[in-house]
Amino acid sequence: MNIKTEFTEPECAYFRAQCNFSAEELAVFDLRVRTCSLVEIAAKLNMSESTVDRRIRSIKRKIHKVL
């Protein structure tokens, strides 16, 4: 699953509403769907790349549950 390119904006809005993302997950999700890289997200949110990677994995698990 590629969050960056796979979903339309209505689908992303659905995930925002249904996936119960934490504040950090939502921030990462929003930047990722705008095609930001992990490095860019880490810099913008002042977190490590490994933390961004963990958040993305958590986001994908939550999306998979609502699909």
Side-chain angles (χ1 to χ4, degrees):
M1 168 185 333
N2 187 343
I3 296 172
K4 252 198 301 196
T5 59
E6 195 168 316
F7 301 115
T8 64
E9 184 51 42
E11 290 170 328
C12 291
Y14 174 79
F15 296 140
R16 285 183 195 99
Q18 298 298 315
C19 288
N20 196 29
F21 293 139
S22 69
E24 274 190 352
E25 289 170 340
L26 185 58
V28 169
F29 179 78
D30 286 339
L31 290 171
R32 193 67 175 163
V33 297
R34 291 186 203 144
T35 68
C36 290
S37 70
L38 269 63
V39 174
E40 292 170 324
I41 294 169
K44 288 180 183 186
L45 298 179
N46 196 28
M47 58 177 68
S48 71
E49 291 176 44
S50 61
T51 299
V52 172
D53 185 55
R54 279 193 307 276
R55 297 297 175 263
I56 289 175
R57 282 183 285 158
S58 176
I59 289 165
K60 287 180 178 182
R61 278 193 301 273
K62 289 180 178 184
I63 289 173
H64 185 70
K65 285 182 181 179
V66 300
L67 289 178

